[in-house]
Amino acid sequence: MQKYLLELEQKALLELKAAKGAAELDKIRIKYMGKKGLLSTCMRKIREVPPDQRPEVGKLTNIIKKKLTAYIKDARLTNARQPAASPRLDVTLPGREPLWGHAHPITLVIDEVCQILSKMGFMVVEGPNVELDYYNFEALNIPKDHPARDMQDTFYISKNIVLRTHTSPIQARIMETTAPPISIIAPGKVYRKDSDVSHTPMFHQIEGLLVDQDINFGDLKGTLTLFLHQMFGSDTTLRFRPSFFPFTEPSAEVDIQCVICNGKGCRTCSHTGWLEILGAGMVDPALYKFVNYDPDIYSGFAFGMGIERIAMLKYGINDIQLFFKNDMRFLKQF
Ligand code: DAH
């Protein structure tokens, strides 16, 4: 019996040492010392032991019980102090680099355009996004029945208030409050009811306006040529095409030779070899009567360009919607 008890003790201690967590310790406690546990059974069977050995066996059983109980108590305390799942801190690991923010590609292009034109003497100004019909249309020689006012293109806030459809109303606002000479550029958001791979309901434009004495079409050509050469490279070929805008006369559209195919013709340039990049012209004298400028003394030129279009050509992007999806995989590339 004594031999069996000592073997039981060794077995119990081995199991306790291997136990993980309080639940396993408790299982072992019940296995050996529960009501029907192995040690408790020994106590009950003590009557079967020869009478002279009974005190010895009883004593030994109690000692083993005490030993195991003490061991379990100890193990429980250590467990509580050292939760098994506690992560180890390795102070030698290199730190995690934070995500760096940076400017949006549209902001990058606006900044670049403004920087080039500022150096040429243009001052950066801004105007309201929510605009009076008067500045957006009327004062730009766009009469009430002009198709540009169509409800299908313009977001109307009320009968006389719109979300500006272009940055040109800033021309009218500046001339109204400032006497010539004027040379300004005005970047900003514009809004039109339009949405597909090349149109979004909100996009960006930059407007330019210069009014002084003796300004002619040559000044406009020189200014835009210098600007586009700085923007797209000095070997960029451009052409001025006759066009129409209600607020300029004569009007032109400026194309650059396709930057994708170098003028050979591809999908981006609709196989023409040319890309339309901006609208421009001499300020129509009809505008001067709204702002009390004397058309016999002053003349000027204006131009306007879409920022998304320039950004798409500069960075080779074929879907305008990408600029506004805030997909980190796209934005991280700039
Ligand atoms: N406002 C015109 C548009 O949104 C662009 C434009 C054309 C602006 C000719 C100008 C200009 O200043 O002279 O399509």
Side-chain angles (χ1 to χ4, degrees), residues 77-90:
L77 278 177
T78 330
N79 259 344
R81 257 183 261 122
Q82 248 183 13
S86 87
R88 301 232 350 239
L89 180 68
D90 183 350

